Every structure is written in structure tokens, then in C-alpha cells.
């Protein structure tokens, strides 16, 4: 009897993890730090967040404005192209849909830009529809600078390089412009479920 119930538990667990972990990924318990350069520091009274580019009236929030936007808390899995996945990460921030409210644009693409010069490109479809957030808390605490604090993008349905740390704005564009990693061999879209890791995948 004990043998049978152990067998059932093992199988159930495998099924759960294979449905949650994209192909080629393994689950980690820690939270690795991956940064292409030094951690930039910005004081909150200098910090702003902008939506610019193909938009009639660019939008800009100060830190105070930004913190007045009703926040959302979500728990989600994240998947790094270097093959680690982390399950049930908890974030608080603002939905990109909320930031785009009232924005009238024909643009279909965006470049997200950060302090320090990092950029990443996303289709507007991947930034909207309740799939992307601009977050400032992790696990109920202010986001640590190494993980992108004060504020980072969170786009959990794409590989984690799309989740730009130290984010400062979104430029709306009519054409797709590859960002930092997308110009250096990473896939233009980066869907982990389709293993879109590198050019040609
Ligand atoms: N500004 C900026 N954002 C960034 C990066 C970076 O180097 N600079 N690295 C990306 C990559 S490749 C990954 S996997 C994640 C890592 O986030 P973490 O350090 O919080 O784990 O941030 C992404 N966002
Ligand atoms: Mo990454």
C-alpha cells in the first residue's frame, strides 16, 4: 500500500512540474542576479517613468505620481534563458494596461529602456492584455537594487531578459527595433514555451 501511494505522489508531482516548467528549464530555489553591467543608482526624487514615441501626448509620472496608481500584487513563475526558472515569485506594481489607459496610438511595437542604457523590444500585444507590469516590490519588500529596484518591468510569459531592470520608460514604435540582447543573438520575441532562445529558434 505504501508503495502504491508513493508512486501516485511521485507521478502527480512530475505532471505538475512538467506543466509549469517550460522545455529545457530547471527550477531553482534561490534568486540569481543577472546584469550586463553595474547596478545603476537613481534617487527617487529624480526618478520618472515615461511613455513616449508614437503617441500624441507623451506621458510622464514622478515617483509620487507613480505610487498613487492603484497597485496590483501577483504571484507568477519566471524563466531565464540561461535555463533557470523560479516558481511562485510575488510582485507588486502597476499593470502596463493601466499606464496605457487613454493612450491612442497606431504603434504595434515598443522599446523599453532603463537607467544604464539597457533596452529590450516587445510587441505592444505582449505588453498589454494584463501580461506585463512595472513593479517595485518583491515578496512584500521594496525591490532590491540588484533585482532592478527601484522599479523593473515584469513580463513573466516571456524569457526574463525582457523584464528590464531599472526601467524608466516605454517608447512606442511603428517598427520593431531589436533591443540589447535581441541585437546580440537572443530571439526577437523570447517565448519560453516555444524555446525561442536565440536567433533562428
Ligand atoms: N537593465 C537591465 N535589465 C535586465 C538585465 C540587465 O542586464 N540590465 N538583464 C536581464 C536578464 S538577461 C535577466 S535573466 C533578468 C535577471 O533579473 P534578476 O537579476 O533580477 O534575476 O533581468 C533582465 N533585465
Ligand atoms: Mo537572462
Amino acid at each position: 500500500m505504501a508503495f502504491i501511494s508513493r508512486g501516485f505522489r511521485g507521478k502527480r508531482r512530475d505532471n505538475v512540474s512538467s506543466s509549469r516548467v517550460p522545455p529545457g528549464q530547471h527550477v531553482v530555489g534561490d534568486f540569481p542576479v543577472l546584469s550586463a553591467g553595474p547596478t545603476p543608482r537613481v534617487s527617487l526624487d529624480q526618478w520618472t517613468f515615461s511613455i513616449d514615441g508614437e503617441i500624441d501626448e507623451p506621458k510622464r509620472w514622478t515617483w509620487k505620481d507613480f505610487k498613487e496608481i492603484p497597485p496590483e500584487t501577483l504571484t507568477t513563475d519566471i524563466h531565464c534563458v540561461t535555463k533557470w526558472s523560479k516558481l511562485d515569485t510575488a510582485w507588486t506594481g502597476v499593470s502596463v494596461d493601466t499606464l496605457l489607459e487613454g493612450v491612442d496610438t497606431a504603434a504595434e511595437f515598443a522599446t523599453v529602456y532603463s537607467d544604464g542604457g539597457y533596452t529590450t523590444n516587445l510587441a505592444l500585444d505582449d505588453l498589454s492584455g494584463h501580461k506585463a507590469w512595472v513593479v517595485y516590490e518583491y515578496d512584500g519588500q521594496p525591490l532590491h537594487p540588484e533585482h532592478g529596484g527601484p522599479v523593473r518591468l515584469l513580463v513573466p510569459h516571456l524569457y526574463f531578459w525582457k523584464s528590464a531592470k531599472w526601467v524608466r520608460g516605454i517608447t512606442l514604435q511603428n517598427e520593431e527595433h531589436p533591443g540589447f540582447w535581441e541585437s546580440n543573438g537572443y530571439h526577437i520575441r523570447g517565448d519560453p514555451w516555444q524555446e525561442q532562445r536565440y536567433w533562428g529558434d
Side-chain angles (χ1 to χ4, degrees), residues 31-38 40 78-82 84 86 91 113-120 143-148 152-153 159-167 180-181 186:
F31 193 169
V33 171
L34 281 102
S35 302
I78 54 179
H79 311 291
C80 175
V81 73
T82 63
W84 56 267
K86 187 169 174 61
W91 307 87
Y113 56 90
S114 298
D115 277 320
Y118 188 86
T119 57
T120 187
L143 183 58
H144 194 281
E146 283 186 331
H147 286 299
R152 81 180 294 164
L153 187 70
Y159 281 122
F160 207 35
W161 88 75
K162 297 286 185 180
S163 294
K165 305 197 277 190
W166 317 298
V167 69
F180 176 75
W181 282 118
Y186 283 15

Side-chain angles (χ1 to χ4, degrees), residues 45-61:
D45 51 306
Q46 304 290 311
W47 187 91
T48 55
F49 190 87
S50 303
I51 299 181
D52 51 37
E54 295 296 324
I55 178 174
D56 282 346
E57 288 194 36
K59 296 178 96 174
R60 171 169 283 199
W61 295 262

